Amino acid sequence: MADKKKRVAIIASSGGLETAYKVLNIATAAAALDAEVAVFFTFDGLEIIHKDAASMLQLGPGKEHLKENFSKAGVPSVAELLDMAKESGVKLIACQMTIDVMGLDRSHFIDGVDIGGAATFLDFAFDADVTLNF
């Protein structure tokens, strides 16, 4: 009998550059380890998959120096990590309810993002081996 793939379910409900790196680092690492991965973006976490993420995602106060350090350390940009995630099969799910409440629509988000409700994510998460919230 073949081994069942591990599943990693991630909720991204916070915005900011640090959160984007945490979410996408875990998602891409899990995918590289051959896990099935889904990320549910809700509330401020929607900034991570927004077409204007580069201008929206900021570092917290006193952490501005990290932006240069990410580059010096060879850490891929958020856009590059999102591309890596999509290429690795990571499911990116934007919360329909939050999109409606915030007056957004599909056109605000990068290509490759699915729009779904909590039930869409939960259908994946019920069988998850690891569940994380950022």
Side-chain angles (χ1 to χ4, degrees), residues 107-120:
S107 70
H108 290 95
F109 302 102
I110 61 171
D111 291 337
V113 172
D114 295 327
I115 308 283
T120 301

Side-chain angles (χ1 to χ4, degrees), residues 41-126:
F41 298 90
T42 187
F43 293 97
D44 292 339
L46 288 172
E47 293 175 357
I48 298 168
I49 53 172
H50 197 282
K51 284 183 177 173
D52 296 329
S55 63
M56 296 173 82
L57 296 172
Q58 302 298 317
L59 288 164
K63 296 182 180 179
E64 297 83 4
H65 66 284
L66 291 178
K67 194 164 197 169
E68 186 178 323
N69 292 350
F70 281 125
S71 180
K72 282 182 184 175
V75 176
S77 69
V78 169
E80 291 168 328
L81 285 168
L82 283 165
D83 286 341
M84 291 167 56
K86 290 186 289 185
E87 289 167 12
S88 301
V90 173
K91 294 178 182 122
L92 306 175
I93 306 165
C95 177
Q96 180 70 63
M97 181 200 71
T98 307
I99 289 170
D100 292 345
V101 168
M102 293 182 156
L104 302 171
D105 62 48
R106 181 177 297 282
S107 70
H108 290 95
F109 302 102
I110 61 171
D111 291 337
V113 172
D114 295 327
I115 308 283
T120 301
F121 176 72
L122 287 170
D123 187 49
F124 179 91
F126 283 141

